[in-house]
Amino acid sequence: MQGVLTLGQFIIENQSEFPYAKGELSRLLRDIGIASKIVNREVNKAGLMDILGEAGTMNIQGESQKKLDVFANEQFISALQSGGECCIVASEENDEFVYIDGEVSKDAKYIVAIDPLDGSSNIDVNVAVGTIFSIYRRKSSTGRATIDDVLQKGTEQVAAGYVIYGSSTMLVYTTGKGVNGFTLDPSIGEFCLSHPKMRIPKDGTIYSINEGNYVHFPEGVKKYLKYCQVEDPTSSRPFTSRYIGSMVADIHRNMIKGGIFIYPTTSSAPNGKLRLVYECNPMAFIIEQAGGRATDGFNRILEKDVHSLHQRSAIFIGSENMVHKAESLMSQYTKDQSDEKLNELLYKTGVIGGLD
Ligand code: AHG
Ligand code: MN
Ligand code: MN
């Protein structure tokens, strides 16, 4: 066991870096770690048990829930309930946020936002899935926490992390002082520090996007894809396309190898698909802490106003220079498009260009 540092040991050794009372956040992270091991066990058994298929209920997005979505949600909520450090859970799987009203939890200082199982449609085909979590400190100091405690900007996160249930299971998290990754050693049932001080390369050669939606993409995204596909040996283009369909797995790969993940607005989903509170904000916090960049194509994800629990956002996230390039094309072509529209309007109203 020499040289092995478990997640529990690491949290205790590094809690002097935590911004607030140290024990509470440590316990919260420990509780999330425990629940993720239980979820990991069930994900691994998914092919063996009668757990595949629809649970028969719909979440607020109108998507059918897999049984493992429901199971994972219950596990995280119950771990946070018994831990006593969290007063509200905001989950993808619950239409409204969930009060943890136990004797201990009602005055608890933290709020957890969670996507209990990300990429869940991949379960049926034995492809990596994940969990995403985000931790906020409640703003109100007395009484029951309110929706305003939940709807904080991403910049207010005190910690965020993800678990990837892949060829091995990893937990990666930040408390705002860099990013560390832990791999689950199934033989001892512990997450062990395997990726200390993770950094995403400034440049990369992988782009991840659901290209099937191409016709619905904004012009700037189409131009960026063309840029990725053009031959230019000096910048290692054409780049490689990789898309798993689990945001956690796609971003984790890009974090290690360098790359960009894009889920833009589309003409059919004008606000994007992914959810700001429990998908975009935590992943943006982690990637920024690893030296990368995360925007909605124009503005920093972490500074976006949060109006509702299940709010959606476009996301461009990954290696800093790749995201910058995509953003520059977004603003260039959005401007061109709006200039075109303006010119059309001015022409129609006779302000410019006459027929003669
Ligand atoms: P979830 O399973 O939590 O609903 O999230 C699925 C998300 C995300 O993980 C992935 O990147 C994206 O949906 C894939 O969407 P498309 O199938 O539209 O590409
Ligand atoms: Mn998700
Ligand atoms: Mn999910």
Side-chain angles (χ1 to χ4, degrees):
M1 290 293 288
Q2 204 191 356
V4 172
L5 194 58
T6 67
L7 176 64
Q9 291 168 330
F10 183 89
I11 290 171
I12 290 166
E13 281 185 16
N14 288 278
Q15 61 182 2
S16 60
E17 292 183 342
F18 293 175
Y20 302 103
K22 297 156 189 13
E24 296 164 352
L25 188 55
S26 299
R27 282 193 289 276
L28 205 45
L29 288 166
R30 180 206 58 195
D31 295 341
I32 290 171
I34 292 169
S36 71
K37 283 192 242 177
I38 298 170
V39 172
N40 177 64
R41 190 187 64 203
E42 295 306 304
V43 166
N44 281 331
K45 284 194 299 195
L48 297 171
M49 297 178 64
D50 179 29
I51 204 162
L52 293 173
E54 316 293 317
T57 49
M58 301 283 250
N59 68 19
I60 196 168
Q61 336 287 344
E63 299 157 341
S64 57
Q65 294 183 26
K66 300 288 173 186
K67 281 181 185 172
L68 271 174
D69 283 327
V70 179
F71 177 83
N73 194 36
E74 287 166 3
Q75 288 307 317
F76 284 106
I77 290 177
S78 117
L80 293 168
Q81 200 151 22
S82 45
E85 309 299 349
C86 169
C87 57
I88 289 183
V89 180
S91 167
E92 181 190 11
E93 300 304 330
N94 296 99
D95 298 355
E96 305 292 338
F97 56 77
V98 178
Y99 276 111
I100 309 278
D101 262 347
E103 232 1 82
V104 199
S105 317
K106 68 179 185 320
D107 297 321
K109 298 188 181 67
Y110 289 96
I111 283 144
V112 174
I114 193 158
D115 177 354
L117 205 67
D118 174 66
S120 51
S121 64
N122 278 326
I123 279 282
D124 294 356
V125 290
N126 211 349
V127 170
V129 291
T131 292
I132 308 172
F133 63 89
S134 170
I135 302 176
Y136 292 86
R137 200 170 157 86
R138 62 181 281 190
K139 293 271 182 217
S140 56
S141 47
T142 52
R144 242 186 164 198
T146 66
I147 184 76
D148 292 333
D149 289 311
V150 182
L151 303 183
Q152 298 186 44
K153 282 188 182 180
T155 45
E156 302 298 308
Q157 290 172 99
V158 292
Y162 61 79
V163 183
I164 173 165
Y165 311 98
S167 49
S168 58
T169 296
M170 275 190 76
L171 188 149
V172 173
Y173 83 96
T174 183
T175 54
K177 304 270 182 207
V179 181
N180 290 285
F182 301 79
T183 302
L184 183 64
D185 180 343
S187 67
I188 57 170
E190 293 279 6
F191 284 106
C192 301
L193 182 64
S194 53
H195 295 62
K197 300 188 173 92
M198 294 175 85
R199 303 295 294 170
I200 179 168
K202 291 268 174 234
D203 288 288
T205 57
I206 298 173
Y207 67 99
S208 319
I209 188 167
N210 184 344
E211 229 164 324
N213 295 326
Y214 186 88
V215 292
H216 300 297
F217 288 158
E219 199 54 31
V221 172
K222 289 180 178 169
K223 289 286 188 292
Y224 181 68
L225 293 181
K226 193 43 73 193
Y227 166 84
C228 292
Q229 293 160 0
V230 159
E231 180 136 47
D232 175 34
T234 56
S235 55
S236 306
R237 285 179 287 151
F239 293 158
T240 296
S241 168
R242 290 280 182 275
Y243 191 72
I244 295 167
S246 293
M247 181 196 204
V248 167
D250 277 308
I251 293 180
H252 179 72
R253 180 207 51 241
N254 291 355
M255 166 110 100
I256 290 171
K257 297 193 165 191
I260 186 171
F261 173 89
I262 304 176
Y263 211 111
T265 58
T266 63
S267 46
S268 48
N271 297 317
K273 173 185 177 183
L274 299 177
R275 280 54 64 104
L276 181 60
V277 175
Y278 42 80
E279 291 182 316
C280 300
N281 270 336
M283 297 311 278
F285 188 25
I286 296 163
I287 287 294
E288 282 197 5
Q289 281 295 313
R293 185 170 174 84
T295 74
D296 63 3
F298 303 98
N299 301 303
R300 189 178 172 216
I301 291 286
L302 295 182
E303 288 174 18
K304 283 179 78 97
D305 285 329
V306 184
H307 311 292
S308 66
L309 193 53
H310 299 285
Q311 183 177 334
R312 295 174 192 267
S313 172
I315 189 164
F316 294 62
I317 183 169
S319 293
E320 187 180 7
N321 293 337
M322 296 182 88
V323 175
H324 271 307
K325 179 69 188 175
E327 280 175 293
S328 73
L329 291 169
M330 282 299 286
S331 45
Q332 182 182 337
Y333 285 94
T334 304
K335 188 170 167 297
D336 286 357
Q337 273 181 318
S338 54
D339 282 355
E340 257 169 49
K341 285 204 177 96
L342 182 64
N343 285 341
E344 198 180 297
L345 186 69
L346 293 175
Y347 180 82
K348 276 186 188 154
T349 51
V351 177
I352 58 167
L355 286 175
D356 45 354

